[in-house]
Structure formats: C-alpha cells, structure tokens
Amino acid sequence: MASEVRTVVISGYYGFNNSGDEAVLNSILNALERAGREAGIRIEPVVLSGDPAATTALYGVRAVHRMKIGEVRRALKNSHALISGGGSLLQDATSAKTIPYYLGVIKLAQWLGKPTFIYAQGIGPVQRKLFYPFIKNVFSRSAYVSVRDVESAALLEKMGLNKSSIEVVPDPVMGMRLPSGTPQSSGLDEEGRPIVGVSVRFWNEDRSDMDRIAEMLQQWMEQQQLHIRFLPFHGQSDEAASRYVMDRLSNVDKHGSAVSISPIYPHPLDMLKEVSRCRVLVGMRLHSLIYAASQHVPVLGISYDPKIDQFLNRLGEQAIGTTKQLHPQHAAEQASSILSNTERWREQHQEVIQQLIQEAELPAKQVVQLLRQTN
C-alpha cells in the first residue's frame, strides 16, 4: 500500500455531459493512479466540476463546483498541487471568458504557493493577442507544461515561452482502456453489415455542413449496405445534430441498410465500447476520432477546427472534408475505399497508434515524480 498521499486539484471542462471531456478526466485519473502506484504514492484527486455530484458518482472522487470561488480556493489551499487540463481549455473561439477562467484558476493556485502542471492541453485558437502575455506569465510559472500537438507548442513559443520547457504528448484519451475481458468486435451488425460510427455536431448556422454529410452518407449507402450508427458525444445537442442528419437519409431499407443512434452515455467507457464495435468511424468531434484510433478503428475526419487536422496529422491522415467544403460523392468514395481496406489501414497505422498510446502516460509520470518532491 502506498505510504504517502498527494492531494491534487484537477481543473478542466468537466461535469457537462461531454463524452470527450469526460474521457479526458477518466484518462487522467487512471493514468495518475497507475503512475502513483508505480512510484509508491497515492494520488487523491479533487475535481473542479460543473456538476460535482455527477462527477463523484461517475468516478468515485471528491469534486467541488468550479464556479464557487470559495470552494475552489479552499480545495486549492488544502491540496499539494493543481493540474490544468487536458482538452482545449485556452481558446477564445467559443467565448472570450474561457481563457480568463482557466488562467485564473491556475494563477490562484500559484498565489497559494501550489505547483501547477499543464496537462496535455490543446492551445488555441487564441484570436485576441491581449491574452498572450497572461498565458506566458502563468505557464512560465508552472512546474510542468505539456501540450497535445506541435501546433500548440508553436503557439506557446510565439507567445514567448521557451521551447525546451514544453513537452509535446498525445491527448490523454489515447491512453483510455476498455475493461479487461471486453470481447473484440467484428465490426458487423447481426445482419452482417459493417457498422459505420458517425459523430456530428452542429456548426454552420445554415446547417449546410449537416446537409452535405447526409448527402455523403446517402451516396455511400447507395453503393453498399451499411449500418450507420450515430454516436452523440455531447449530450442532447449532438443527439439533435444526429437526428437532423438521420431525417435527411431516404430509402434506407430499400438499399438494405440500417440507421440507428446510440444512447447518451454519462460514462465515457460506454461510448468507447460503442466506438470499438465500429468497422470505421466518420467523425467531427475530436474525441470521436481519438476513441476510434485508440481502438484501431479507421477514422474519416470532418474538420471544423484546427485541432481535428492536428490530430489527423499525427496519424498521417487528412480530413475527408470540412464544414466549409465537403464534396459528398468524393467523400463517399474515400469512405468506401477505406471500408474495403480496414486491415490495411490498421497495419499502416499500428506503429504510430501504439506509440501514441504509450506516450499518453508520460504527463502523469512526470507529475507524480514532481509531486514526490513536494511536502
């Protein structure tokens, strides 16, 4: 049994029923537990969450409300350190308030004299350059900085951070594991049709991206029999996007195909199981692509954000289209070609995927080694 205990506050976008971000948390918790066990110390996490009760119920850890500053300050004061990450926390594409919040939590920990660790974050886009000096200030005072792609590292260098102080690692979710004994799937449904996972989200206001994805899937089904399985990664909003596309698919039975949608899963491992059953996956959500790659399921990415292209680049792949430009017929042909050569895809990507899975553990090991030096 570990003789020493280290309490670590974890800050991120947790408690919002987003499977990708919940997978990040789940992966960090498990990686810290493994690294701590190897080092002979026990990590006791406290998660800053939008829904502390749900976070505690899902992972069996202590959680406090991320927006209650008194609770956050008390948790930090009683901790040994703060982990900020992973995910795309420092970006201002969705809101100008996001960066100040996450930097504020890190700065509060530093004011309280706690070491801070930046854990496999995706940095950017940062459109407001006024944030640059604040990010540099907070990160330069952190005990450890890791980012999930070279583009994030380059952006931090542009802000003035020293390149040697930044470690580039995979997204933590690459290290997420299914329970031992989980049966391996054939990727086929009961009728022998290949299961095609589809992760979509609303992006274009006029829904033109959803319409083109529906047209691509329609053309693909007209070429071969498929089971299109929609996977809502972000609760009801992704379920609505999925049903929007589903409603635009016609003559499904006539072509011998099937269309279904998975439940909204609170725990990321349930969605990981869904993804592992797919023969291929078409994904807009970053973590749908990461889930698939971690299970050696061929991916077809549709990009709405540079982070999609950055992850695909690490696999040596390119998006089959974007929310601005997707040619349905060409994309359907690409998808059909990959579906016909899944074993070849796995063989070609085996080495890089295994490397990403192993490297996903590096931040937890670094954090634990640094924590051993704290009192």
Side-chain angles (χ1 to χ4, degrees), residues 36 52 56 88 99 106 117 122 141 173 209 213-214 223 235 259 277-278 294 322 329 331 337:
T56 297
S88 304
I99 292 174
I106 302 170
F117 308 115
R141 286 166 170 74
V173 178
D209 48 350
I213 291 170
Q223 295 173 25
V259 175
R277 297 187 189 112
C278 298
S294 76
T322 70
Q329 184 178 349
S337 175

Side-chain angles (χ1 to χ4, degrees), residues 152-318:
S152 293
L155 182 55
L156 289 178
E157 287 178 59
K158 187 178 177 182
M159 294 178 189
L161 251 74
N162 192 317
K163 183 178 181 178
S164 62
S165 68
I166 307 164
E167 186 168 37
V168 179
V169 297
D171 188 286
V173 178
M174 282 301 300
M176 193 162 70
R177 308 171 187 181
L178 285 172
S180 58
T182 302
Q184 191 168 5
S185 172
S186 66
L188 304 175
D189 70 4
E190 294 174 354
E191 303 297 323
R193 293 170 295 212
I195 301 171
V196 176
V198 178
S199 162
V200 292
R201 61 162 299 167
F202 285 134
W203 191 253
N204 294 353
E205 288 187 16
D206 63 0
R207 306 296 184 239
S208 56
D209 48 350
M210 299 291 101
D211 295 336
R212 284 192 292 267
I213 291 170
E215 191 177 342
M216 168 204 153
L217 296 174
Q218 184 71 45
Q219 293 199 25
W220 193 5
M221 283 192 296
E222 289 174 5
Q223 295 173 25
Q224 59 193 126
Q225 294 182 353
L226 305 169
H227 183 148
I228 305 292
R229 179 74 164 167
F230 285 88
L231 306 171
F233 265 70
H234 194 177
Q236 293 178 342
S237 71
D238 279 16
E239 182 181 49
S242 298
R243 294 197 181 279
Y244 180 96
V245 176
M246 290 170 73
D247 289 345
R248 278 147 187 79
L249 301 177
S250 60
N251 298 318
V252 174
D253 294 337
K254 179 182 175 183
H255 298 299
S257 292
V259 175
S260 63
I261 185 169
S262 83
I264 296 171
Y265 293 112
H267 202 292
L269 280 179
D270 294 317
M271 184 60 85
L272 187 64
K273 288 176 189 173
E274 284 274 2
V275 171
S276 73
R277 297 187 189 112
C278 298
R279 181 61 69 94
V280 298
L281 182 132
V282 179
M284 286 179 70
R285 287 282 183 191
L286 171 64
H287 283 102
S288 72
L289 302 173
I290 295 174
Y291 276 40
S294 76
Q295 301 304 305
H296 302 271
V297 173
V299 298
L300 295 145
I302 298 172
S303 179
Y304 73 93
D305 184 282
K307 65 185 179 184
I308 305 299
D309 304 288
Q310 289 159 7
F311 176 69
L312 292 171
N313 288 342
R314 297 197 77 167
L315 294 179
E317 293 286 326
Q318 289 185 323

